Amino acid sequence: MKRLKDMKAAKVRAGDTLGTRMWKKVVFLVSIGRNAIVVIIGLVTAYLLDDHQPFIITGEVVPGLPAVRLPQFTAVVNGTTLSFGDILEDIGSGVAIIPILSILGTVAIANAFCGGKTLDAKQEMYALGFCNLLGSFVQSMPVTGSFSRTAVNATSGVKTTAGGIITSVLVMLALAFLTSHFKFIPKASLSAVIMCAVLFMVEYEMVAPIWRARRLDQLPLWVTFLACLFWKVEYGILVGVAVDLALLLYSSAIPKINVSTIKKEDGVKAAYVLVEPCTGLFFPSVDYVRAAVNKAGISTAEGSLTVVLDCCHLTGLDFTAVKGIEGLCSDFQKRQQPLILANASPNIKKSLACLDPHIKITSTPEELHSLLRCVSRDICVAEMDAVTTLSNNCAMVHSNSVVCAMVHSNSVECAMVHSNTAETCSGEEFDMINPLLQVTTSAAKPSVCDQPA
């Protein structure tokens, strides 16, 4: 019956006669009013069979509208008057759980029926709080959204919030004049209406796209479904939210990190090791990123090559992240291995500069390449100092012919290393292409190390 109004034969056309139009209008009204028709048929059947009632009926309903009065903060139970504190103690954790479940249920229902439109959760919470505030003056139960009632409205063709106004008016009229007839409504007919309405909410066709898009999203889907099926809808939603938060924290704590070796222009010698975290750096991922960068510095960079940490995804740092980077810089200083933080935003640069004024941080491609030239030159100078020291040791043992003969070959090797080192530090070998920043250095450009103080 739901799809009768959507059939082409039920659509009103320009050339239809008056009788045809009336017939199609009847089909349309039957289609959108099918829930009421089922309830009315069940009510009439139960009323006619009152002497031999085969159904479980709703029973007596207290007639009339509730009185409007101030909320009561005391209650009388079995002749005992309970104060407001006693009521709160009796409710216990429900004081916090009931509002949370109410908000979660309302927002979840709104998301399910918003049809892809933008949802303002604040507006939903304001409306929920306002309804509960006014409901307290008419002895109302805690107000929240209802999956079953919303599904019935949706399947009945309700399109706007005016449906809520009409429903409220009908409920008040029914409480005032029709409560004596409500007792004949079979519970089976009400259950059938709810089951048929909720049945169309099951979007089973979404399982395959979710599997193809991200298989891990199947976990909160089925956990929520099973918890709602075998437990309660409210608790199932909480379990689903908890599982989804756990997955979110897991992905934040163990982000993807790309490690690559950048070659010089000759394509043979390594210039530096680039480490690129694909997400921001916050408390959950600090230790993991620190361990990954240290591992890249020891294994990929062999404990001596410069390591460049790309900070383009770092939009902000908390205190734990700042302390983690401080510990990372300390790890590299102990190994006497250069570490450069590249592509740092001004805020990140300001936050990290307070740790150590000598920390190597760059924001632009030019700064990065100039700093790489400085680091390479410092390494070359250190190698030249080592060669000079070794040559002096050879001269000191020259008087001892036996020892000198043994060291002579080392002296020749020292001279060769000295020549190669000086040739490497001449400036041309510093030129390299940086795939990260798409800028080519030039030996003609003055380095930050060459600028006067």
Side-chain angles (χ1 to χ4, degrees):
M1 295 178 67
K2 177 184 178 181
R3 294 184 173 86
L4 284 177
K5 64 182 185 339
D6 299 324
M7 297 174 61
K8 291 183 179 180
K11 299 290 184 182
V12 178
R13 299 177 182 177
D16 290 342
T17 62
L18 180 60
T20 304
R21 288 174 179 269
M22 293 180 62
W23 170 248
K24 290 183 177 180
K25 194 65 176 179
V26 169
V27 173
F28 176 79
L29 293 176
V30 169
S31 178
I32 65 173
R34 61 192 178 278
N35 296 319
I37 293 174
V38 170
V39 173
I40 293 173
I41 292 175
L43 186 150
V44 173
T45 304
Y47 177 78
L48 295 176
L49 299 176
D50 189 26
D51 295 335
H52 304 282
Q53 191 59 257
F55 305 115
I56 299 176
I57 58 177
T58 303
E60 295 290 341
V61 178
V62 179
L65 297 173
V68 179
R69 62 186 182 186
L70 291 175
Q72 293 184 343
F73 294 94
T74 59
V76 179
V77 179
N78 297 328
T80 304
T81 302
L82 300 178
S83 64
F84 183 67
D86 295 332
I87 296 174
L88 292 180
E89 184 179 356
D90 183 65
I91 297 175
S93 60
V95 174
I97 293 177
I98 290 175
I100 292 175
L101 292 179
S102 177
I103 293 173
L104 287 177
T106 302
V107 174
I109 295 168
N111 278 316
F113 290 93
C114 67
K117 297 179 181 178
T118 303
L119 174 65
D120 187 359
K122 288 185 179 179
Q123 183 177 352
E124 299 294 330
M125 287 188 282
Y126 289 151
L128 196 60
F130 190 69
C131 289
N132 279 290
L133 182 62
L134 293 182
S136 64
F137 291 91
V138 290
Q139 304 87 56
S140 170
M141 297 177 63
V143 177
T144 183
S146 170
F147 277 107
S148 56
R149 290 194 298 272
T150 307
V152 170
N153 279 344
T155 55
S156 298
V158 175
K159 298 295 183 183
T160 66
T161 52
I165 300 176
I166 296 175
T167 302
S168 301
V169 173
L170 291 177
V171 168
M172 289 189 290
L173 291 175
L175 288 175
F177 305 107
L178 300 176
T179 52
S180 60
H181 303 286
F182 285 171
K183 70 175 184 179
F184 294 106
I185 298 177
K187 290 186 177 181
S189 63
L190 297 177
S191 301
V193 169
I194 295 174
M195 291 175 62
C196 292
V198 175
L199 183 63
F200 292 100
M201 294 176 57
V202 181
E203 299 178 349
Y204 57 87
E205 69 276 1
M206 294 299 296
V207 175
I210 292 175
W211 177 265
R212 291 192 295 266
R214 188 168 181 256
R215 296 182 179 180
L216 193 59
D217 287 340
Q218 295 281 341
L219 180 61
L221 168 65
W222 291 108
V223 168
T224 305
F225 173 75
L226 294 176
C228 292
L229 183 63
F230 294 104
W231 201 1
K232 289 185 178 180
V233 174
E234 297 84 357
Y235 297 144
I237 293 174
L238 285 178
V239 171
V241 170
V243 173
D244 208 28
L245 285 176
L247 293 178
L248 182 61
L249 287 175
Y250 178 79
S251 60
S252 300
I254 308 180
K256 182 180 179 182
I257 299 177
N258 297 324
V259 179
S260 56
T261 302
I262 308 302
K263 303 291 185 179
K264 294 185 178 181
E265 284 188 337
D266 57 11
V268 178
K269 297 181 180 179
Y272 60 89
V273 174
L274 177 64
V275 181
E276 300 176 273
C278 296
T279 58
L281 184 61
F282 292 99
F283 166 71
S285 60
V286 171
D287 293 335
Y288 181 80
V289 172
R290 179 178 176 180
V293 176
N294 273 317
K295 181 179 179 181
I298 294 174
S299 59
T300 308
E302 298 179 353
S304 59
L305 200 61
T306 302
V307 175
V308 176
L309 178 61
D310 186 11
C311 301
C312 65
H313 294 291
L314 304 186
T315 56
L317 295 176
D318 56 13
F319 177 74
T320 307
V322 173
K323 296 298 291 183
I325 294 180
E326 181 182 16
L328 181 63
C329 295
S330 176
D331 296 339
F332 275 76
Q333 288 176 359
K334 291 178 182 178
R335 296 196 299 267
Q336 296 183 351
Q337 184 179 9
L339 174 66
I340 300 175
L341 306 181
N343 286 342
S345 63
N347 293 334
I348 300 297
K349 194 172 183 180
K350 182 179 179 180
S351 300
L352 296 179
C354 66
L355 299 177
D356 184 359
H358 303 292
I359 189 172
K360 300 178 178 64
I361 309 176
T362 65
S363 301
T364 63
E366 291 76 12
E367 291 180 2
L368 174 60
H369 284 80
S370 297
L371 194 55
L372 286 171
R373 287 168 58 86
C374 292
V375 171
S376 299
R377 180 169 298 177
D378 292 341
I379 294 175
C380 291
V381 170
E383 290 179 355
M384 293 176 66
D385 291 341
V387 170
T388 302
T389 302
L390 184 58
S391 300
N392 292 336
N393 291 337
C394 292
M396 292 175 62
V397 298
H398 180 69
S399 57
N400 191 332
S401 58
V402 177
V403 176
C404 185
M406 296 174 62
V407 177
H408 179 69
S409 59
N410 292 335
S411 300
V412 176
E413 183 178 354
C414 290
M416 295 175 62
V417 172
H418 187 280
S419 175
N420 292 334
T421 303
E423 185 177 325
T424 302
C425 298
S426 61
E428 293 296 331
E429 293 295 329
F430 290 134
D431 295 345
M432 65 189 76
I433 296 177
N434 187 355
L436 172 64
L437 301 172
Q438 297 298 321
V439 176
T440 305
T441 59
S442 175
K445 286 186 178 181
S447 170
V448 292
C449 303
D450 301 330
Q451 296 177 0

